C-alpha cells in the first residue's frame, strides 16, 4: 500500500473504534462503515488523510475526519489524535475510543 494510505481495518483498530482487528474487519464487511459517503465492504480499503468516515457503531453513529494514520494501537489519548469528530461528539469522550457498547 502507498505510504500515504492505511488499511481501513487497521486504522479503525488504531483509533480504538474496534476492540480487535478482526472486529474492525467485521465492522467493515458488515457494511457499517462509509468513506466519503460510500459504503465500504473491503477491509483493505486504502484510507488517506482528510477522509470523512461515517461509522454505525453499536452505541452511536459517528462522523469523523481522519487527521493521522497512526503507527500503533496506543492508549486512548494517542488514539483520539487520529480523528476529528464532525457530528458534535465530544473529542475527549472516552466511550468513543473504548468501543464500549451502549457508551
Amino acid at each position: 500500500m502507498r505510504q500515504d494510505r492505511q488499511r481501513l481495518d487497521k486504522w479503525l483498530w488504531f483509533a480504538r473504534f474496534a476492540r480487535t482487528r478482526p472486529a474492525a474487519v467485521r465492522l467493515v464487511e458488515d457494511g457499517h462503515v462509509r468513506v466519503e459517503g460510500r459504503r465500504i465492504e473491503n477491509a483493505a480499503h486504502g484510507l488517506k488523510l482528510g477522509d470523512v468516515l461515517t461509522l454505525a457503531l453499536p452505541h452511536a453513529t459517528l462522523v469523523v475526519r481522519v487527521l493521522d494514520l497512526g503507527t500503533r494501537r496506543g492508549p486512548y489519548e494517542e488514539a483520539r489524535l487520529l480523528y476529528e469528530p464532525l457530528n458534535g461528539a465530544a473529542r475527549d469522550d472516552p466511550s468513543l475510543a473504548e468501543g464500549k457498547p451502549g457508551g
Side-chain angles (χ1 to χ4, degrees), residues 1-94:
M1 185 163 295
R2 292 171 30 183
Q3 291 293 86
D4 63 339
R5 301 203 180 237
Q6 186 170 66
R7 283 179 58 110
L8 177 58
D9 62 326
K10 195 172 185 178
W11 187 88
L12 290 169
W13 182 55
F14 284 171
R16 298 184 153 269
F17 289 112
R19 288 180 188 220
T20 64
R21 185 115 176 242
V25 170
R26 278 193 311 277
L27 190 66
V28 175
E29 290 178 349
D30 289 347
H32 298 294
V33 180
R34 291 178 183 266
V35 177
E36 301 296 336
R38 290 187 348 232
R39 181 179 291 194
I40 304 298
E41 294 178 357
N42 180 0
H45 175 83
L47 201 59
K48 64 184 183 311
L49 296 180
D51 277 349
V52 174
L53 279 65
T54 304
L55 308 166
L57 302 175
H59 60 283
T61 299
L62 303 175
V63 181
V64 299
R65 175 173 287 119
V66 176
L67 298 179
D68 196 4
L69 298 179
T71 57
R72 69 184 189 118
R73 180 176 166 93
Y76 165 71
E77 293 77 20
E78 186 177 316
R80 71 181 179 182
L81 300 176
L82 300 180
Y83 62 90
E84 169 189 15
L86 298 178
N87 63 338
R91 184 174 176 87
D92 58 353
D93 180 358

